[in-house]
Amino acid sequence: MPSVYRIFLICTTLLFFALSLEATHNRAGEITYRQISQLTFEATVTTYTKTSGPSLNADRDSLEIDWGDGTSSFVARVNGTPGGTNNVPQGEMIADDIKMNKYVATHTYPGPLPFYVISMTDPNRNDGIVNVNNGNSVNILFYLEDTIRVLDPTFVGYNSSPVLLNPPIDNANINEIFYHNPAAYDPDGDSLSYELIPSKATPDFNVPLYQYPDEVSPGIDNNFTIDARTGLITWDVPKAPTGEYNVAILIREYRNGIQLGSILRDMQITVRDNQNKPPIIEDINDTCIIAGNNLRINVNASDPDPGQTVTLTAFGGPLEFSNNPASFQSTPAIGSTNGFFEWQTTCDDIRRQFYQIVFRAEDNFSNPSLGGSASLTDTETWLIRVIAPPPENLQAEAINNTVELEWQNPYRCNESATDKFLGFTVWRRLGSNPFQPDTCEPGLAGRGYTKISQLQQDYNYVDSNVKKGHLYCYRVLAEFAEQTPFGFLYNRVESLPSNEACSELRKDVPLLTNVSVDVTDEQAGEMFVAWTKPIPNADNLDTVQFPGPYEFRLLRSDGFNAPTQQIATFSSPTFGGLNDTSYQDNNLNTVEQPYTYHVDFYANNGVFVGSSEPASSIFLDLAATDREIEVLWEEDVPWINEQYVVFRQNPNSGLFEQIGDTITEQSYIDNGLINDSLYCYKVLGLGYYTGTNMPSPLINFSQEKCARPLDTIPPCAPILEVKNNCRELNEGEGCEVQNIVFINELTWTLPCDEEVKQFNIYFSSPFEDNYSLVERVIGSDSTYRHELGESVAGCYVITATDSAGNESELSNEFCVDNCPCYKLPNVFTPNGDGQNDLFTPFLPYRFVDRVDMRIFNRLGGLIFKTEDPDILWDGTNQQNGNEMPEGVYYYTCKVYEVRVEGIVQSKDVLSGYIHLIRSK
């Protein structure tokens, strides 16, 4: 057993030994909460306790709640019939030897914090829990907690915890698959996630020797899991030993991607080995229903064992928390039974998350040898989404140069039907998408529509951003959300889309169809321009209102947005004779710029009728890199180019050949090319108008453009390592080694397969701020020996350069340090014999800049100091020049070393004794 658990168990035993004989034997429970105001919460502790044996005299009429802010409260039980010596509610028996107890209290927090933890700790669990402390569970603490996040309700809103509607007590049978669902309902419509964790004894400790149920008797056919989305627990399948097992379910809730809190449920499963099989509920398909419709379903359950009575019940938010609650009716019956679920939904039931109904079928198996009831259950989880109805009867009409929309007023779920209604948004696409919405797929994601309006509560909309030649198709969505008291929206949801309504503007002006480069040249370039005639009928061009003569005026601008100039006119006294609808524009510089055109239309001797939308040519640009060229292009046209075809000129035939195409993307990469070779390209655009009776496809070419691929991509950065012989010297003979050659040995690798011409080695000494180039290593060598003389300290980086001169990014920086060596003797003889007359360090010393040497007599008086690393003390008192007598002197010496980071003091201060001897 780990030591921390040993200590925990000893403390627990000592602390609660006196209570163990009278303890409430807790089986299961949870804490839920409800937010009343920004800082005030109502908490409900629900426990399920054993009532037989010592527990008969160990009932809790109150519990202590720790609020997580340094305060706690004793809370009285509120459920059941009053009685006992204090005449307080006694709780409710829900099954043999199982009582449910509820304790409710309200608390106001001192202020917002990221999290508060509400908790409850009780001394004892019931004894014999198989997967807790090897079954010795009676003296193990029972701990529950909730985490709440107190945020500004202006932006987040109030939050209450999920409510768990299915009690945390259930039965299983060996070798029979087991299901359980807590039937959680979140009153705020937040999303929930579920996770299994060990049962807890304190905030920081799990119960000792905890095992998940499938770890007690592990095997490939013993798996205990939970569905993170629905909370459905599956045990497939329980194995021996029989007995009671506890598991903890951690339920987190999220709003707009923010975790608001979590609750912890501790539940108990009793596993038996009986000749009994659980009942079976027929599968039920998850469903979606439009708000306002009535949902009805029959549920069937049967038991494979003859003579068993099956009871079918249901749990779920719609049954208890809807403004118009659902109903479920079922009568227990032998062998099989049916149930009828009905829910008349309303607009208030619209929400982002699904509703969950948990059906529970229970048999009435009894085993007197086990104390009575040993019934088994089956669980079926049914998910329901209540979808907002679509706005209806959408109509679109083109009026002048706008499209006006309107739809049915009132909407079924307007503000009078629910306070969740926000309004409508209008969506548009070019061309029709006549799909029929699936009831389970609200919104318009992936359907090709773009939102063109902000949220509004009007039942009409005018779209003025429209162009002639296109069919505009619209749908409308209604939007809903939960709202804080301060108007902040969360958990937004869209309705089903309305019907599609389409319209297009009158074709009473010409429409450009071609702006295509025929010849690419700086002076003799040519453009082909073409357009359609207006349609002469009552729905388009009214020739009675606009009689002849008629005239087209073609205008051009250099580039995309330059001023225009008229370049050609075409006229006819009659509309039928106005057949010139194309023009060859010559003597242009089609190499360096695009051209944009539009056509003005006149009638009745110069009365302006209207103008086409402008359209430009496709203009190419090329970006050349190493062995590839990226072809890019742009244009400004009123039609839709749905495909582009890229051509490259064959240098042998001179013909342009197709090399690829793209769908709407306006770039193409041509790779595998030969550097410095010339490549020429042009692009063909294939387009169309979405309006009716328009020519298709519209074919237009760009200019031709050439480039040479060049190697502009540097090699990858090398990976560098540096070694020297400093460490070997310090670990070997030390300072006495003579004539040392200090060399930094560099090795590197290139982590990519590229050709490199040379490697560039850069070095920075401890006294330099920048790197300096010290060597260029030509070819593929990957080593270099750098001789530095008196110091090896410094940092290196290297780069790789390819044959085109591209230099890579810097490698990793690798720094090496000096290996200073400085040692002092303990004796010298300043007697004038020319030998050992001066006190100096052992020579040679290495990489020392200066010292702080101080020598003291036996009384602690300073007699000599110096910063010279050679020291050179001659045995005299530095202050008066007198010779010091023979004897022992004490010294301290701080050594300042030359390191890679500069001059630094050695970690170790040298100290010791010097024996001064004058006799010869």
Side-chain angles (χ1 to χ4, degrees), residues 704-749:
E704 300 168 11
K705 194 173 181 68
C706 304
R708 299 176 188 272
L710 299 172
D711 185 359
T712 60
I713 301 176
C716 60
I719 299 174
L720 174 65
E721 290 187 5
V722 184
K723 297 180 180 179
N724 57 38
N725 56 349
C726 248
R727 178 177 296 179
E728 296 174 1
L729 289 171
N730 277 353
E731 294 176 351
E733 299 181 53
C735 296
E736 291 77 11
V737 179
Q738 302 290 325
N739 301 319
I740 301 172
V741 178
F742 290 104
I743 298 173
N744 285 331
E745 297 184 356
L746 285 71
T747 60
W748 58 87
T749 58

Side-chain angles (χ1 to χ4, degrees), residues 362-557:
E362 182 176 7
D363 64 22
N364 67 333
F365 180 82
S366 181
N367 188 336
S369 65
L370 296 175
S373 175
S375 61
L376 295 179
T377 63
D378 185 30
T379 295
E380 179 73 16
T381 301
W382 184 34
L383 305 183
I384 305 168
R385 288 193 66 192
V386 179
I387 307 297
E392 296 179 329
N393 196 27
L394 175 64
Q395 298 181 20
E397 181 180 4
I399 299 177
N400 296 326
N401 288 322
T402 66
V403 177
E404 297 187 3
L405 306 175
E406 62 179 8
W407 53 96
Q408 184 170 308
N409 183 0
Y411 172 58
R412 271 199 283 169
C413 288
N414 61 15
E415 61 270 26
S416 64
T418 175
D419 56 7
K420 297 180 181 180
F421 175 70
L422 302 178
F424 303 101
T425 53
V426 179
W427 298 69
R428 183 186 74 189
R429 63 168 283 150
L430 291 177
S432 174
N433 183 359
F435 74 95
Q436 293 298 318
D438 185 286
T439 304
C440 288
E441 294 183 9
L444 286 165
R447 302 292 188 176
Y449 294 84
T450 301
K451 185 167 69 172
I452 63 171
S453 80
Q454 299 300 317
L455 204 63
Q456 63 173 58
Q457 292 200 350
D458 296 328
Y459 288 81
N460 54 74
Y461 181 80
V462 177
D463 185 11
S464 58
N465 185 25
V466 289
K467 299 177 180 180
K468 296 180 185 293
H470 284 292
L471 180 68
Y472 292 96
C473 293
Y474 302 85
R475 291 184 189 261
V476 176
L477 297 177
E479 291 198 13
F480 298 79
E482 306 287 344
Q483 299 188 50
T484 72
F486 305 94
F488 178 79
L489 305 177
Y490 62 94
N491 294 336
R492 295 181 70 146
V493 62
E494 297 172 323
S495 72
L496 291 173
S498 71
N499 61 292
E500 184 182 66
C502 302
S503 186
E504 58 183 312
L505 301 183
R506 296 162 60 95
K507 298 186 184 70
D508 55 357
V509 296
L511 299 175
L512 283 164
T513 57
N514 294 90
V515 179
S516 184
V517 180
D518 279 356
V519 177
T520 302
D521 192 86
E522 292 183 351
Q523 295 180 342
E526 297 183 13
M527 300 286 300
F528 173 72
V529 184
W531 57 92
T532 65
K533 290 176 62 174
I535 297 177
N537 59 36
D539 294 330
N540 294 283
L541 176 65
D542 187 348
T543 54
V544 175
Q545 181 183 358
F546 295 102
Y550 299 96
E551 183 181 26
F552 291 139
R553 297 180 188 177
L554 181 63
L555 297 93
R556 181 187 71 211
S557 63

Side-chain angles (χ1 to χ4, degrees), residues 615-914:
S616 76
S617 59
I618 301 173
F619 189 70
L620 286 192
D621 195 11
L622 304 179
T625 57
D626 184 24
R627 291 177 290 183
E628 72 177 33
I629 293 176
E630 183 177 12
V631 186
L632 306 106
W633 58 93
E634 59 181 328
E635 81 277 353
D636 185 5
V637 295
W639 59 82
I640 298 172
N641 278 326
E642 65 175 345
Q643 183 180 10
Y644 299 95
V645 182
V646 182
F647 295 85
R648 186 179 68 201
Q649 189 175 38
N650 186 315
N652 297 319
S653 65
L655 300 176
F656 280 85
E657 300 172 347
Q658 179 178 342
I659 59 170
D661 60 12
T662 71
I663 305 299
T664 70
E665 295 294 328
Q666 291 184 265
S667 65
Y668 179 84
I669 295 178
D670 188 17
N671 50 32
L673 307 178
I674 300 173
N675 283 342
D676 297 323
S677 296
L678 186 66
Y679 295 89
C680 298
Y681 302 86
K682 66 179 179 180
V683 170
L684 166 66
L686 298 173
Y688 66 96
Y689 284 99
T690 58
T692 55
N693 301 316
M694 294 299 296
S696 180
L698 308 181
I699 300 174
N700 293 280
F701 280 97
S702 72
Q703 90 280 18
E704 300 168 11
K705 194 173 181 68
C706 304
R708 299 176 188 272
L710 299 172
D711 185 359
T712 60
I713 301 176
C716 60
I719 299 174
L720 174 65
E721 290 187 5
V722 184
K723 297 180 180 179
N724 57 38
N725 56 349
C726 248
R727 178 177 296 179
E728 296 174 1
L729 289 171
N730 277 353
E731 294 176 351
E733 299 181 53
C735 296
E736 291 77 11
V737 179
Q738 302 290 325
N739 301 319
I740 301 172
V741 178
F742 290 104
I743 298 173
N744 285 331
E745 297 184 356
L746 285 71
T747 60
W748 58 87
T749 58
L750 199 66
C752 55
D753 185 17
E754 296 186 36
E755 295 182 3
V756 175
K757 181 180 179 181
Q758 70 181 31
F759 293 95
N760 310 301
I761 300 174
Y762 298 88
F763 176 72
S764 176
S765 76
F767 308 104
E768 294 178 333
D769 294 330
N770 301 313
Y771 280 98
S772 301
L773 179 67
V774 296
E775 189 62 59
R776 291 186 175 93
V777 178
I778 308 299
S780 58
D781 287 345
S782 58
T783 62
Y784 175 69
R785 292 167 58 86
H786 189 203
E787 296 187 17
L788 289 163
E790 296 183 354
S791 174
V792 291
C795 295
Y796 295 87
V797 293
I798 65 173
T799 62
T801 303
D802 62 20
S803 58
N806 301 304
E807 187 173 9
S808 75
E809 294 182 355
L810 296 176
S811 71
N812 58 300
E813 181 183 62
F814 204 109
C815 297
V816 290
D817 208 350
N818 283 325
C819 46
C821 187
Y822 191 78
K823 297 182 179 180
L824 296 176
N826 59 7
V827 65
F828 82 117
T829 59
N831 54 17
D833 64 359
Q835 297 181 10
N836 200 27
D837 287 334
L838 297 174
F839 183 80
T840 64
F842 290 113
L843 299 176
Y845 55 83
R846 294 196 303 270
F847 309 128
V848 175
D849 177 73
R850 68 182 190 276
V851 298
D852 180 5
M853 179 70 174
R854 298 171 184 261
I855 302 175
F856 306 87
N857 62 23
R858 286 182 296 175
L859 299 177
L862 178 67
I863 60 173
F864 180 84
K865 67 176 181 179
T866 185
E867 291 187 352
D868 184 353
D870 291 333
I871 302 176
L872 303 175
W873 182 42
D874 61 0
T876 63
N877 188 321
Q878 194 179 48
Q879 296 179 8
N880 56 27
N882 296 332
E883 289 186 351
M884 301 301 297
E886 286 188 345
V888 178
Y889 296 85
Y890 180 74
Y891 72 87
T892 63
C893 183
K894 298 177 182 178
V895 182
Y896 293 87
E897 303 168 339
V898 181
R899 290 289 193 176
V900 66
E901 60 265 43
I903 305 301
V904 297
Q905 181 184 333
S906 172
K907 296 179 180 178
D908 299 320
V909 177
L910 303 180
S911 63
Y913 296 94
I914 303 171

